[in-house]
Short mmCIF file of all heavy atoms in Angstrom, two decimals:
data_model
loop_
_atom_site.label_atom_id
_atom_site.label_comp_id
_atom_site.label_asym_id
_atom_site.label_seq_id
_atom_site.Cartn_x
_atom_site.Cartn_y
_atom_site.Cartn_z
N TYR A 101 2.94 -1.12 4.92
CA TYR A 101 3.33 -1.23 3.53
C TYR A 101 4.55 -0.36 3.26
O TYR A 101 4.51 0.86 3.42
CB TYR A 101 2.18 -0.85 2.59
CG TYR A 101 2.50 -1.21 1.16
CD1 TYR A 101 2.24 -2.48 0.66
CD2 TYR A 101 3.13 -0.28 0.32
CE1 TYR A 101 2.56 -2.82 -0.65
CE2 TYR A 101 3.46 -0.62 -0.99
CZ TYR A 101 3.17 -1.90 -1.46
OH TYR A 101 3.50 -2.24 -2.74
N LEU A 102 5.65 -0.99 2.87
CA LEU A 102 6.90 -0.28 2.57
C LEU A 102 6.88 0.13 1.11
O LEU A 102 6.97 -0.71 0.23
CB LEU A 102 8.09 -1.21 2.88
CG LEU A 102 9.48 -0.64 2.57
CD1 LEU A 102 9.73 0.68 3.27
CD2 LEU A 102 10.55 -1.66 2.97
N GLU A 103 6.74 1.43 0.87
CA GLU A 103 6.56 1.92 -0.50
C GLU A 103 7.88 2.22 -1.21
O GLU A 103 8.08 1.85 -2.35
CB GLU A 103 5.69 3.17 -0.47
CG GLU A 103 5.52 3.86 -1.80
CD GLU A 103 4.87 2.98 -2.86
OE1 GLU A 103 3.78 2.46 -2.62
OE2 GLU A 103 5.47 2.82 -3.95
N ASP A 104 8.78 2.95 -0.54
CA ASP A 104 10.05 3.31 -1.15
C ASP A 104 11.15 3.17 -0.10
O ASP A 104 10.90 3.48 1.07
CB ASP A 104 10.02 4.77 -1.66
CG ASP A 104 10.20 4.87 -3.16
OD1 ASP A 104 10.07 3.82 -3.83
OD2 ASP A 104 10.46 5.97 -3.66
N PHE A 105 12.33 2.76 -0.54
CA PHE A 105 13.39 2.46 0.42
C PHE A 105 14.70 2.66 -0.32
O PHE A 105 14.99 1.92 -1.27
CB PHE A 105 13.22 1.01 0.87
CG PHE A 105 14.17 0.52 1.92
CD1 PHE A 105 15.00 1.37 2.62
CD2 PHE A 105 14.21 -0.85 2.23
CE1 PHE A 105 15.87 0.89 3.60
CE2 PHE A 105 15.07 -1.33 3.22
CZ PHE A 105 15.90 -0.47 3.89
N PHE A 106 15.49 3.68 0.06
CA PHE A 106 16.67 4.02 -0.73
C PHE A 106 17.74 4.65 0.14
O PHE A 106 17.47 5.52 0.96
CB PHE A 106 16.26 5.00 -1.84
CG PHE A 106 17.38 5.47 -2.72
CD1 PHE A 106 17.94 4.62 -3.67
CD2 PHE A 106 17.89 6.76 -2.60
CE1 PHE A 106 18.98 5.05 -4.51
CE2 PHE A 106 18.92 7.20 -3.43
CZ PHE A 106 19.46 6.35 -4.39
N ILE A 107 18.99 4.17 -0.05
CA ILE A 107 20.16 4.77 0.58
C ILE A 107 21.07 5.23 -0.55
O ILE A 107 21.29 4.47 -1.50
CB ILE A 107 20.95 3.74 1.43
CG1 ILE A 107 20.04 2.96 2.36
CG2 ILE A 107 22.07 4.41 2.18
CD1 ILE A 107 19.51 3.73 3.51
N MET A 108 21.59 6.44 -0.47
CA MET A 108 22.49 6.93 -1.52
C MET A 108 23.65 5.95 -1.66
O MET A 108 24.17 5.44 -0.66
CB MET A 108 23.00 8.34 -1.16
CG MET A 108 21.93 9.40 -1.35
SD MET A 108 22.45 11.01 -0.70
CE MET A 108 23.69 11.47 -1.92
N GLN A 109 24.05 5.73 -2.89
CA GLN A 109 25.08 4.73 -3.19
C GLN A 109 26.33 4.86 -2.32
O GLN A 109 26.85 3.85 -1.83
CB GLN A 109 25.48 4.88 -4.66
CG GLN A 109 26.38 3.78 -5.14
CD GLN A 109 25.94 3.24 -6.48
OE1 GLN A 109 25.70 4.02 -7.42
NE2 GLN A 109 25.81 1.94 -6.59
N GLU A 110 26.77 6.11 -2.10
CA GLU A 110 28.00 6.36 -1.34
C GLU A 110 27.89 5.90 0.11
O GLU A 110 28.90 5.78 0.80
CB GLU A 110 28.36 7.85 -1.31
CG GLU A 110 28.53 8.48 -2.67
CD GLU A 110 27.23 8.99 -3.29
OE1 GLU A 110 26.13 8.61 -2.83
OE2 GLU A 110 27.32 9.78 -4.23
N PHE A 111 26.66 5.68 0.58
CA PHE A 111 26.48 5.36 1.99
C PHE A 111 25.98 3.95 2.21
O PHE A 111 25.46 3.62 3.27
CB PHE A 111 25.56 6.41 2.65
CG PHE A 111 26.15 7.78 2.61
CD1 PHE A 111 25.85 8.66 1.57
CD2 PHE A 111 27.06 8.18 3.57
CE1 PHE A 111 26.43 9.92 1.50
CE2 PHE A 111 27.64 9.45 3.53
CZ PHE A 111 27.32 10.31 2.49
N ARG A 112 26.15 3.10 1.21
CA ARG A 112 25.70 1.71 1.37
C ARG A 112 26.75 0.92 2.13
O ARG A 112 27.90 1.34 2.29
CB ARG A 112 25.45 1.09 -0.01
CG ARG A 112 24.45 1.91 -0.79
CD ARG A 112 23.29 1.14 -1.33
NE ARG A 112 22.46 2.09 -2.07
CZ ARG A 112 22.29 2.09 -3.37
NH1 ARG A 112 22.86 1.17 -4.11
NH2 ARG A 112 21.53 3.01 -3.95
N GLY A 113 26.34 -0.25 2.60
CA GLY A 113 27.28 -1.13 3.29
C GLY A 113 27.65 -0.70 4.68
O GLY A 113 28.58 -1.24 5.29
N LEU A 114 26.90 0.27 5.24
CA LEU A 114 27.21 0.74 6.58
C LEU A 114 26.17 0.26 7.59
O LEU A 114 26.21 0.62 8.75
CB LEU A 114 27.26 2.28 6.62
CG LEU A 114 28.27 2.93 5.69
CD1 LEU A 114 28.06 4.44 5.66
CD2 LEU A 114 29.69 2.59 6.13
#
Side-chain angles (χ1 to χ4, degrees):
Chain A
Y101 190 86
L102 178 55
E103 175 61 55
D104 243 15
F105 183 11
F106 179 74
I107 310 289
M108 286 171 72
Q109 188 134 50
E110 303 86 344
F111 297 93
R112 304 233 180 112
L114 301 171

